Amino acid sequence: MISEQIQSITSIVHNEFYIKSGNGPWIQRNIFENVEYDEYENKQIEILQQKIGEKGLKINLKRSTLLKMLMAAQYDVERAIINCQLHLKFLKEYKKSDYQKDLVKGYLYVCGFDNQYRPVIIFRQYCDIKIITYFLETVRRSLLIDYYVENWTVIIDLELDLPVLELEDLLYLQLQFYGNLNKMLIINGPDDIQVILKQFTDKFPDLSVKLQVITEYSQLLQYIPKDQLEIKYGGDQSNLIQFWPLQKREGVSGLLNGNNNKTSHLSIASLNSSSVNKKSSFMKITVLEENGNPLLNQQMAVFEDKVLQSSESSIQDQAPLQDYEEKYKSYLSTSTKKNFMDKVQLMDMDDQNGEEQQSKESQNENKKKKKHKMDEKQIQNRRINMEGEKESIVANPSCCSKNCSIF
């Protein structure tokens, strides 16, 4: 069974639009490992590496990680360098951390795998951001598989608690774990859950595509097989009582459907209906995911990477990380304002285009009115010339309709 499961996972062949969509700075990517990057991505990585060399920094991260740091910084090279520094610091702290005593309490845990073999993370109660990042990094190292499975699905259960992450925490998670969030499913939410979520989607507009409020447990089956869900969530799997260590793939059944061909994990329906919808104002692309879920216009959230041994020790030879953290916060503030201003500018451009269109329509209308007045004047002169013939014309109404402009 184990060998069959591994064979099935490693037989996955991702659709090209799932791997990457869009071009230039609007590229959206789900798969970073063991795939070719396009000309724009390779150029940006080269620029970043050159800048790192000019600064004399020792940042030996994989190309895939450098690309994620660039994407998280919207291809701002200076910000990307700061992201690399902060990421190295995080990886170094992870090796020294131990939050097992907290994780056995079941604040968040892994239970089963979704329809695409992605681990399903259950988030039941808010805990310190350091515990969350330690947990996610452990999941990344233990359960994600380069190319085949680089994402996960999250279920947020609000029955016990309403976890509230600060904006800074969300941005930190986005930085450290860029590119791996598949879907965030909200269950047992209060009646005003949409109002609460709006506070996040207003700050992260693209996050709205990732969020899905579940009103009935049966809706979870669209994303997760029944035998991968706990009984309390409408599944067949026994409710977990041991939350740590992580559940391993080897101990999970029910992921196979007797179909091990190379496209067994590509939904034919979604492939046939995959669409490329360009938004003229943002020039971004939306496509359908392999299981039919829409992909995010701008990837938001979670992680990856294997760092060379020297990269973690090299951080000791570099500038104090406090300086980078301060710069990072400054960039976050500036970036948030810039994004807002960019959107306002786009709205202003749309308004300006609308006003220009209205102006053209108004000018055309005035031309029509002037032409109509000239026609009426010509008709009036014609009527004077035809006064002697008027009676004969009226006597023969078949010459024109009753709306004839002569009369």
Side-chain angles (χ1 to χ4, degrees):
M1 177 65 190
I2 295 176
S3 61
E4 289 180 352
Q5 184 186 120
I6 295 175
Q7 179 184 356
S8 187
I9 292 175
T10 56
S11 70
I12 293 175
V13 178
H14 292 297
N15 180 274
E16 61 177 317
F17 289 109
Y18 177 72
I19 294 174
K20 171 237 175 190
S21 61
N23 295 292
W26 298 284
I27 290 173
Q28 308 303 326
R29 181 176 286 279
N30 276 312
I31 304 299
F32 289 81
E33 303 298 337
N34 302 328
V35 291
E36 293 183 0
Y37 298 148
D38 69 11
E39 182 179 352
Y40 180 84
E41 291 172 316
N42 284 323
K43 182 63 175 177
Q44 294 302 312
I45 294 173
E46 182 181 331
I47 292 173
L48 176 59
Q49 290 175 326
Q50 182 179 352
K51 197 70 174 178
I52 290 173
E54 291 175 359
K55 290 178 176 290
L57 300 173
K58 297 179 181 179
I59 299 178
N60 297 318
L61 295 172
K62 291 196 305 181
R63 286 173 58 83
S64 57
T65 306
L66 293 177
L67 179 57
K68 289 186 176 187
M69 298 298 102
L70 278 163
M71 294 177 75
Q74 298 179 342
Y75 296 101
D76 183 316
V77 176
E78 291 297 332
R79 286 178 59 191
I81 291 176
I82 294 173
N83 288 349
C84 290
Q85 293 285 344
L86 293 173
H87 189 60
L88 283 170
K89 178 186 178 184
F90 163 72
L91 293 174
K92 183 178 179 181
E93 290 177 346
Y94 170 78
K95 284 200 166 186
K96 297 179 179 179
S97 303
D98 184 2
Y99 293 100
Q100 296 191 46
K101 292 182 179 179
D102 299 287
L103 292 171
V104 296
K105 298 176 182 178
Y107 297 134
L108 65 171
Y109 58 93
V110 170
C111 181
F113 301 86
D114 71 8
N115 292 327
Q116 302 297 327
Y117 298 143
R118 292 174 287 238
V120 176
I121 296 172
I122 313 294
F123 191 178
R124 296 178 65 238
Q125 198 167 355
Y126 178 74
C127 54
D128 190 274
I129 188 67
K130 291 183 178 180
I131 299 175
I132 297 174
T133 53
Y134 177 87
F135 172 84
L136 292 176
E137 177 65 9
T138 304
V139 172
R140 182 195 70 79
R141 297 184 180 214
S142 303
L143 299 178
L144 298 188
I145 305 172
D146 287 353
Y147 176 79
Y148 301 108
V149 182
E150 294 190 22
N151 317 94
W152 53 46
T153 294
V154 177
I155 294 178
I156 298 184
D157 186 352
L158 301 180
E159 183 176 18
L160 299 178
D161 190 16
L162 187 63
V164 178
L165 288 173
E166 296 294 334
L167 175 60
E168 189 174 330
D169 290 340
L170 286 174
L171 291 169
Y172 184 72
L173 289 174
Q174 180 186 17
L175 167 62
Q176 303 301 344
F177 310 117
Y178 189 93
N180 288 80
L181 178 63
N182 166 58
K183 202 75 176 176
M184 189 176 290
L185 309 173
I186 314 295
I187 62 175
N188 296 324
D191 294 337
D192 60 345
I193 183 61
Q194 295 289 1
V195 177
I196 296 172
L197 293 178
K198 192 175 184 299
Q199 299 175 17
F200 292 95
T201 55
D202 283 348
K203 295 174 181 176
F204 299 93
D206 291 332
L207 184 59
S208 60
V209 182
K210 292 285 187 180
L211 289 173
Q212 181 66 47
V213 176
I214 301 298
T215 55
E216 297 180 5
Y217 287 151
S218 59
Q219 296 172 349
L220 292 172
L221 300 179
Q222 298 176 36
Y223 311 95
I224 307 166
K226 193 172 184 179
D227 61 359
Q228 298 298 304
L229 277 172
E230 293 174 278
I231 293 175
K232 62 183 177 183
Y233 296 135
D236 293 335
Q237 187 175 156
S238 299
N239 295 333
L240 261 64
I241 56 175
Q242 181 178 338
F243 305 106
W244 192 263
L246 285 176
Q247 183 184 57
K248 301 296 182 181
R249 288 186 183 277
E250 293 82 355
V252 180
S253 62
L255 291 179
L256 297 175
N257 294 317
N259 184 1
N260 289 331
N261 62 66
K262 288 193 175 183
T263 58
S264 60
H265 288 77
L266 298 181
S267 169
I268 301 303
S270 68
L271 286 179
N272 290 338
S273 61
S274 292
S275 60
V276 179
N277 301 321
K278 293 185 179 180
K279 298 182 179 180
S280 58
S281 59
F282 292 93
M283 293 300 291
K284 291 183 180 179
I285 289 180
T286 301
V287 299
L288 292 181
E289 195 178 1
E290 291 170 337
N291 60 2
N293 299 325
L295 292 178
L296 196 58
N297 276 345
Q298 181 177 350
Q299 287 289 338
M300 163 83 198
V302 271
F303 69 148
E304 166 306 316
D305 93 57
K306 297 174 183 174
V307 184
L308 300 177
Q309 290 290 335
S310 59
S311 64
E312 294 187 6
S313 59
S314 65
I315 195 170
Q316 298 176 355
D317 305 326
Q318 300 174 29
L321 266 296
Q322 291 85 351
D323 297 341
Y324 289 99
E325 289 172 342
E326 291 301 321
K327 288 182 181 179
Y328 177 67
K329 291 179 181 178
S330 175
Y331 272 123
L332 290 181
S333 177
T334 305
S335 176
T336 302
K337 292 178 182 178
K338 182 179 183 299
N339 289 338
F340 176 76
M341 292 305 297
D342 287 344
K343 290 180 182 179
V344 171
Q345 184 177 3
L346 286 170
M347 293 173 65
D348 289 342
M349 289 173 64
D350 292 338
D351 291 341
Q352 184 179 355
N353 292 336
E355 290 174 0
E356 289 176 356
Q357 183 66 23
Q358 274 188 328
S359 177
K360 289 181 179 179
E361 291 177 357
S362 178
Q363 290 175 4
N364 291 335
E365 187 65 27
N366 290 336
K367 288 181 180 179
K368 288 181 181 179
K369 288 181 179 179
K370 288 180 181 179
K371 186 177 184 303
H372 184 65
K373 288 181 180 180
M374 291 177 65
D375 291 342
E376 286 183 343
K377 188 173 182 180
Q378 291 175 355
I379 292 169
Q380 183 66 25
N381 292 335
R382 186 178 176 187
R383 287 182 64 182
I384 294 173
N385 295 333
M386 296 176 62
E387 192 65 33
E389 303 176 12
K390 184 175 181 181
E391 293 299 327
S392 63
I393 295 175
V394 174
N396 185 13
S398 62
C399 73
C400 59
S401 69
K402 62 181 180 179
N403 293 325
C404 180
S405 60
I406 296 178
F407 302 99

PDB file of all heavy atoms in Angstrom, residues 123-126 156-165 186-190 192-193 196-197 200:
ATOM      1  N   PHE A 123      -6.532  24.203  12.253  1.00  0.00           N
ATOM      2  CA  PHE A 123      -6.150  25.310  13.131  1.00  0.00           C
ATOM      3  C   PHE A 123      -7.328  25.572  14.066  1.00  0.00           C
ATOM      4  O   PHE A 123      -8.335  26.129  13.669  1.00  0.00           O
ATOM      5  CB  PHE A 123      -5.841  26.538  12.267  1.00  0.00           C
ATOM      6  CG  PHE A 123      -5.196  27.690  12.987  1.00  0.00           C
ATOM      7  CD1 PHE A 123      -4.840  28.838  12.301  1.00  0.00           C
ATOM      8  CD2 PHE A 123      -4.929  27.642  14.344  1.00  0.00           C
ATOM      9  CE1 PHE A 123      -4.252  29.913  12.943  1.00  0.00           C
ATOM     10  CE2 PHE A 123      -4.338  28.693  15.003  1.00  0.00           C
ATOM     11  CZ  PHE A 123      -4.001  29.840  14.302  1.00  0.00           C
ATOM     12  N   ARG A 124      -7.213  25.146  15.337  1.00  0.00           N
ATOM     13  CA  ARG A 124      -8.350  25.177  16.256  1.00  0.00           C
ATOM     14  C   ARG A 124      -8.284  26.314  17.271  1.00  0.00           C
ATOM     15  O   ARG A 124      -9.300  26.738  17.796  1.00  0.00           O
ATOM     16  CB  ARG A 124      -8.443  23.841  17.021  1.00  0.00           C
ATOM     17  CG  ARG A 124      -8.719  22.656  16.130  1.00  0.00           C
ATOM     18  CD  ARG A 124      -8.751  21.362  16.911  1.00  0.00           C
ATOM     19  NE  ARG A 124      -9.859  21.322  17.850  1.00  0.00           N
ATOM     20  CZ  ARG A 124      -9.720  21.159  19.157  1.00  0.00           C
ATOM     21  NH1 ARG A 124      -8.514  21.058  19.692  1.00  0.00           N
ATOM     22  NH2 ARG A 124     -10.766  21.105  19.944  1.00  0.00           N
ATOM     23  N   GLN A 125      -7.097  26.778  17.562  1.00  0.00           N
ATOM     24  CA  GLN A 125      -6.978  27.780  18.621  1.00  0.00           C
ATOM     25  C   GLN A 125      -5.735  28.628  18.381  1.00  0.00           C
ATOM     26  O   GLN A 125      -4.682  28.103  17.994  1.00  0.00           O
ATOM     27  CB  GLN A 125      -6.887  27.093  19.994  1.00  0.00           C
ATOM     28  CG  GLN A 125      -7.197  28.014  21.166  1.00  0.00           C
ATOM     29  CD  GLN A 125      -7.406  27.230  22.457  1.00  0.00           C
ATOM     30  OE1 GLN A 125      -7.399  26.003  22.444  1.00  0.00           O
ATOM     31  NE2 GLN A 125      -7.584  27.925  23.545  1.00  0.00           N
ATOM     32  N   TYR A 126      -5.868  29.916  18.588  1.00  0.00           N
ATOM     33  CA  TYR A 126      -4.741  30.805  18.349  1.00  0.00           C
ATOM     34  C   TYR A 126      -3.613  30.532  19.343  1.00  0.00           C
ATOM     35  O   TYR A 126      -3.845  30.245  20.520  1.00  0.00           O
ATOM     36  CB  TYR A 126      -5.160  32.266  18.459  1.00  0.00           C
ATOM     37  CG  TYR A 126      -4.001  33.223  18.258  1.00  0.00           C
ATOM     38  CD1 TYR A 126      -3.474  33.434  16.990  1.00  0.00           C
ATOM     39  CD2 TYR A 126      -3.404  33.867  19.340  1.00  0.00           C
ATOM     40  CE1 TYR A 126      -2.402  34.280  16.789  1.00  0.00           C
ATOM     41  CE2 TYR A 126      -2.328  34.721  19.153  1.00  0.00           C
ATOM     42  CZ  TYR A 126      -1.835  34.920  17.865  1.00  0.00           C
ATOM     43  OH  TYR A 126      -0.762  35.750  17.683  1.00  0.00           O
ATOM     44  N   ILE A 156      -9.730  26.191   9.312  1.00  0.00           N
ATOM     45  CA  ILE A 156      -9.757  27.004  10.531  1.00  0.00           C
ATOM     46  C   ILE A 156     -11.089  26.765  11.240  1.00  0.00           C
ATOM     47  O   ILE A 156     -12.146  27.142  10.741  1.00  0.00           O
ATOM     48  CB  ILE A 156      -9.573  28.497  10.218  1.00  0.00           C
ATOM     49  CG1 ILE A 156      -8.200  28.726   9.578  1.00  0.00           C
ATOM     50  CG2 ILE A 156      -9.711  29.331  11.488  1.00  0.00           C
ATOM     51  CD1 ILE A 156      -7.869  30.185   9.325  1.00  0.00           C
ATOM     52  N   ASP A 157     -11.020  26.101  12.391  1.00  0.00           N
ATOM     53  CA  ASP A 157     -12.207  25.766  13.178  1.00  0.00           C
ATOM     54  C   ASP A 157     -12.399  26.831  14.261  1.00  0.00           C
ATOM     55  O   ASP A 157     -11.579  26.957  15.168  1.00  0.00           O
ATOM     56  CB  ASP A 157     -12.023  24.386  13.808  1.00  0.00           C
ATOM     57  CG  ASP A 157     -13.283  23.901  14.531  1.00  0.00           C
ATOM     58  OD1 ASP A 157     -14.234  24.699  14.659  1.00  0.00           O
ATOM     59  OD2 ASP A 157     -13.301  22.739  14.957  1.00  0.00           O
ATOM     60  N   LEU A 158     -13.483  27.588  14.153  1.00  0.00           N
ATOM     61  CA  LEU A 158     -13.715  28.704  15.073  1.00  0.00           C
ATOM     62  C   LEU A 158     -14.638  28.336  16.233  1.00  0.00           C
ATOM     63  O   LEU A 158     -15.118  29.203  16.948  1.00  0.00           O
ATOM     64  CB  LEU A 158     -14.317  29.888  14.310  1.00  0.00           C
ATOM     65  CG  LEU A 158     -13.474  30.427  13.147  1.00  0.00           C
ATOM     66  CD1 LEU A 158     -14.178  31.600  12.483  1.00  0.00           C
ATOM     67  CD2 LEU A 158     -12.095  30.842  13.620  1.00  0.00           C
ATOM     68  N   GLU A 159     -14.879  27.044  16.440  1.00  0.00           N
ATOM     69  CA  GLU A 159     -15.807  26.623  17.491  1.00  0.00           C
ATOM     70  C   GLU A 159     -15.291  26.991  18.877  1.00  0.00           C
ATOM     71  O   GLU A 159     -16.049  27.445  19.746  1.00  0.00           O
ATOM     72  CB  GLU A 159     -16.044  25.119  17.412  1.00  0.00           C
ATOM     73  CG  GLU A 159     -17.060  24.618  18.423  1.00  0.00           C
ATOM     74  CD  GLU A 159     -17.355  23.143  18.253  1.00  0.00           C
ATOM     75  OE1 GLU A 159     -16.554  22.445  17.601  1.00  0.00           O
ATOM     76  OE2 GLU A 159     -18.385  22.691  18.784  1.00  0.00           O
ATOM     77  N   LEU A 160     -13.991  26.820  19.106  1.00  0.00           N
ATOM     78  CA  LEU A 160     -13.417  27.077  20.430  1.00  0.00           C
ATOM     79  C   LEU A 160     -12.895  28.494  20.585  1.00  0.00           C
ATOM     80  O   LEU A 160     -12.895  29.052  21.672  1.00  0.00           O
ATOM     81  CB  LEU A 160     -12.281  26.089  20.711  1.00  0.00           C
ATOM     82  CG  LEU A 160     -12.652  24.607  20.735  1.00  0.00           C
ATOM     83  CD1 LEU A 160     -11.404  23.758  20.971  1.00  0.00           C
ATOM     84  CD2 LEU A 160     -13.691  24.337  21.818  1.00  0.00           C
ATOM     85  N   ASP A 161     -12.421  29.039  19.490  1.00  0.00           N
ATOM     86  CA  ASP A 161     -11.714  30.314  19.592  1.00  0.00           C
ATOM     87  C   ASP A 161     -11.818  31.048  18.271  1.00  0.00           C
ATOM     88  O   ASP A 161     -12.049  30.438  17.219  1.00  0.00           O
ATOM     89  CB  ASP A 161     -10.235  30.065  19.940  1.00  0.00           C
ATOM     90  CG  ASP A 161      -9.498  31.356  20.292  1.00  0.00           C
ATOM     91  OD1 ASP A 161     -10.171  32.363  20.556  1.00  0.00           O
ATOM     92  OD2 ASP A 161      -8.251  31.339  20.291  1.00  0.00           O
ATOM     93  N   LEU A 162     -11.681  32.343  18.328  1.00  0.00           N
ATOM     94  CA  LEU A 162     -11.644  33.155  17.116  1.00  0.00           C
ATOM     95  C   LEU A 162     -10.234  33.697  16.973  1.00  0.00           C
ATOM     96  O   LEU A 162      -9.907  34.766  17.488  1.00  0.00           O
ATOM     97  CB  LEU A 162     -12.653  34.304  17.204  1.00  0.00           C
ATOM     98  CG  LEU A 162     -12.834  35.136  15.935  1.00  0.00           C
ATOM     99  CD1 LEU A 162     -13.378  34.283  14.802  1.00  0.00           C
ATOM    100  CD2 LEU A 162     -13.772  36.312  16.198  1.00  0.00           C
ATOM    101  N   PRO A 163      -9.362  32.927  16.320  1.00  0.00           N
ATOM    102  CA  PRO A 163      -7.962  33.357  16.220  1.00  0.00           C
ATOM    103  C   PRO A 163      -7.838  34.628  15.399  1.00  0.00           C
ATOM    104  O   PRO A 163      -8.369  34.733  14.299  1.00  0.00           O
ATOM    105  CB  PRO A 163      -7.283  32.183  15.515  1.00  0.00           C
ATOM    106  CG  PRO A 163      -8.367  31.481  14.790  1.00  0.00           C
ATOM    107  CD  PRO A 163      -9.614  31.698  15.584  1.00  0.00           C
ATOM    108  N   VAL A 164      -7.155  35.594  15.958  1.00  0.00           N
ATOM    109  CA  VAL A 164      -6.972  36.860  15.264  1.00  0.00           C
ATOM    110  C   VAL A 164      -5.478  37.118  15.108  1.00  0.00           C
ATOM    111  O   VAL A 164      -4.752  37.234  16.093  1.00  0.00           O
ATOM    112  CB  VAL A 164      -7.621  38.029  16.036  1.00  0.00           C
ATOM    113  CG1 VAL A 164      -7.362  39.331  15.294  1.00  0.00           C
ATOM    114  CG2 VAL A 164      -9.112  37.795  16.204  1.00  0.00           C
ATOM    115  N   LEU A 165      -5.024  37.151  13.865  1.00  0.00           N
ATOM    116  CA  LEU A 165      -3.626  37.438  13.590  1.00  0.00           C
ATOM    117  C   LEU A 165      -3.464  38.912  13.271  1.00  0.00           C
ATOM    118  O   LEU A 165      -4.263  39.490  12.542  1.00  0.00           O
ATOM    119  CB  LEU A 165      -3.140  36.611  12.400  1.00  0.00           C
ATOM    120  CG  LEU A 165      -2.954  35.105  12.635  1.00  0.00           C
ATOM    121  CD1 LEU A 165      -2.640  34.423  11.317  1.00  0.00           C
ATOM    122  CD2 LEU A 165      -1.868  34.834  13.646  1.00  0.00           C
ATOM    123  N   ILE A 186     -12.988  27.921   6.275  1.00  0.00           N
ATOM    124  CA  ILE A 186     -13.455  28.415   7.589  1.00  0.00           C
ATOM    125  C   ILE A 186     -14.697  27.655   8.003  1.00  0.00           C
ATOM    126  O   ILE A 186     -15.705  27.643   7.272  1.00  0.00           O
ATOM    127  CB  ILE A 186     -13.774  29.922   7.534  1.00  0.00           C
ATOM    128  CG1 ILE A 186     -12.663  30.698   6.808  1.00  0.00           C
ATOM    129  CG2 ILE A 186     -14.017  30.466   8.933  1.00  0.00           C
ATOM    130  CD1 ILE A 186     -11.349  30.687   7.498  1.00  0.00           C
ATOM    131  N   ILE A 187     -14.673  27.010   9.175  1.00  0.00           N
ATOM    132  CA  ILE A 187     -15.843  26.273   9.660  1.00  0.00           C
ATOM    133  C   ILE A 187     -16.227  26.745  11.067  1.00  0.00           C
ATOM    134  O   ILE A 187     -15.420  27.306  11.794  1.00  0.00           O
ATOM    135  CB  ILE A 187     -15.582  24.750   9.686  1.00  0.00           C
ATOM    136  CG1 ILE A 187     -14.433  24.407  10.642  1.00  0.00           C
ATOM    137  CG2 ILE A 187     -15.263  24.251   8.284  1.00  0.00           C
ATOM    138  CD1 ILE A 187     -14.217  22.912  10.797  1.00  0.00           C
ATOM    139  N   ASN A 188     -17.504  26.515  11.411  1.00  0.00           N
ATOM    140  CA  ASN A 188     -18.047  26.867  12.734  1.00  0.00           C
ATOM    141  C   ASN A 188     -17.862  28.342  13.054  1.00  0.00           C
ATOM    142  O   ASN A 188     -17.617  28.715  14.217  1.00  0.00           O
ATOM    143  CB  ASN A 188     -17.394  26.005  13.821  1.00  0.00           C
ATOM    144  CG  ASN A 188     -17.713  24.529  13.663  1.00  0.00           C
ATOM    145  OD1 ASN A 188     -18.818  24.161  13.265  1.00  0.00           O
ATOM    146  ND2 ASN A 188     -16.749  23.673  13.939  1.00  0.00           N
ATOM    147  N   GLY A 189     -17.970  29.177  12.047  1.00  0.00           N
ATOM    148  CA  GLY A 189     -17.830  30.616  12.262  1.00  0.00           C
ATOM    149  C   GLY A 189     -19.106  31.245  12.797  1.00  0.00           C
ATOM    150  O   GLY A 189     -20.197  30.689  12.650  1.00  0.00           O
ATOM    151  N   PRO A 190     -19.014  32.414  13.430  1.00  0.00           N
ATOM    152  CA  PRO A 190     -20.197  33.130  13.919  1.00  0.00           C
ATOM    153  C   PRO A 190     -21.015  33.668  12.741  1.00  0.00           C
ATOM    154  O   PRO A 190     -20.599  33.618  11.591  1.00  0.00           O
ATOM    155  CB  PRO A 190     -19.596  34.267  14.749  1.00  0.00           C
ATOM    156  CG  PRO A 190     -18.241  34.493  14.160  1.00  0.00           C
ATOM    157  CD  PRO A 190     -17.761  33.143  13.711  1.00  0.00           C
ATOM    158  N   ASP A 192     -21.599  36.614  11.887  1.00  0.00           N
ATOM    159  CA  ASP A 192     -20.988  37.771  11.219  1.00  0.00           C
ATOM    160  C   ASP A 192     -19.588  37.454  10.693  1.00  0.00           C
ATOM    161  O   ASP A 192     -18.758  38.352  10.552  1.00  0.00           O
ATOM    162  CB  ASP A 192     -20.921  38.959  12.175  1.00  0.00           C
ATOM    163  CG  ASP A 192     -20.095  38.678  13.428  1.00  0.00           C
ATOM    164  OD1 ASP A 192     -19.816  37.475  13.693  1.00  0.00           O
ATOM    165  OD2 ASP A 192     -19.734  39.636  14.132  1.00  0.00           O
ATOM    166  N   ILE A 193     -19.336  36.184  10.372  1.00  0.00           N
ATOM    167  CA  ILE A 193     -17.997  35.782   9.934  1.00  0.00           C
ATOM    168  C   ILE A 193     -17.566  36.531   8.678  1.00  0.00           C
ATOM    169  O   ILE A 193     -16.402  36.895   8.530  1.00  0.00           O
ATOM    170  CB  ILE A 193     -17.938  34.261   9.701  1.00  0.00           C
ATOM    171  CG1 ILE A 193     -16.530  33.828   9.314  1.00  0.00           C
ATOM    172  CG2 ILE A 193     -18.940  33.827   8.649  1.00  0.00           C
ATOM    173  CD1 ILE A 193     -15.469  34.109  10.338  1.00  0.00           C
ATOM    174  N   ILE A 196     -16.178  39.825   9.624  1.00  0.00           N
ATOM    175  CA  ILE A 196     -14.858  39.675  10.241  1.00  0.00           C
ATOM    176  C   ILE A 196     -13.795  39.422   9.169  1.00  0.00           C
ATOM    177  O   ILE A 196     -12.718  40.033   9.173  1.00  0.00           O
ATOM    178  CB  ILE A 196     -14.864  38.523  11.255  1.00  0.00           C
ATOM    179  CG1 ILE A 196     -15.826  38.847  12.408  1.00  0.00           C
ATOM    180  CG2 ILE A 196     -13.464  38.253  11.794  1.00  0.00           C
ATOM    181  CD1 ILE A 196     -16.053  37.703  13.366  1.00  0.00           C
ATOM    182  N   LEU A 197     -14.103  38.536   8.235  1.00  0.00           N
ATOM    183  CA  LEU A 197     -13.135  38.210   7.183  1.00  0.00           C
ATOM    184  C   LEU A 197     -12.870  39.391   6.279  1.00  0.00           C
ATOM    185  O   LEU A 197     -11.777  39.526   5.716  1.00  0.00           O
ATOM    186  CB  LEU A 197     -13.643  37.027   6.360  1.00  0.00           C
ATOM    187  CG  LEU A 197     -13.728  35.684   7.086  1.00  0.00           C
ATOM    188  CD1 LEU A 197     -14.297  34.614   6.157  1.00  0.00           C
ATOM    189  CD2 LEU A 197     -12.350  35.257   7.592  1.00  0.00           C
ATOM    190  N   PHE A 200      -9.783  41.317   6.761  1.00  0.00           N
ATOM    191  CA  PHE A 200      -8.548  40.766   6.202  1.00  0.00           C
ATOM    192  C   PHE A 200      -8.518  40.935   4.688  1.00  0.00           C
ATOM    193  O   PHE A 200      -7.486  41.289   4.123  1.00  0.00           O
ATOM    194  CB  PHE A 200      -8.419  39.287   6.561  1.00  0.00           C
ATOM    195  CG  PHE A 200      -8.203  39.044   8.031  1.00  0.00           C
ATOM    196  CD1 PHE A 200      -9.266  38.772   8.879  1.00  0.00           C
ATOM    197  CD2 PHE A 200      -6.928  39.094   8.574  1.00  0.00           C
ATOM    198  CE1 PHE A 200      -9.072  38.548  10.233  1.00  0.00           C
ATOM    199  CE2 PHE A 200      -6.715  38.868   9.923  1.00  0.00           C
ATOM    200  CZ  PHE A 200      -7.796  38.603  10.756  1.00  0.00           C
TER     201      PHE A 200
END
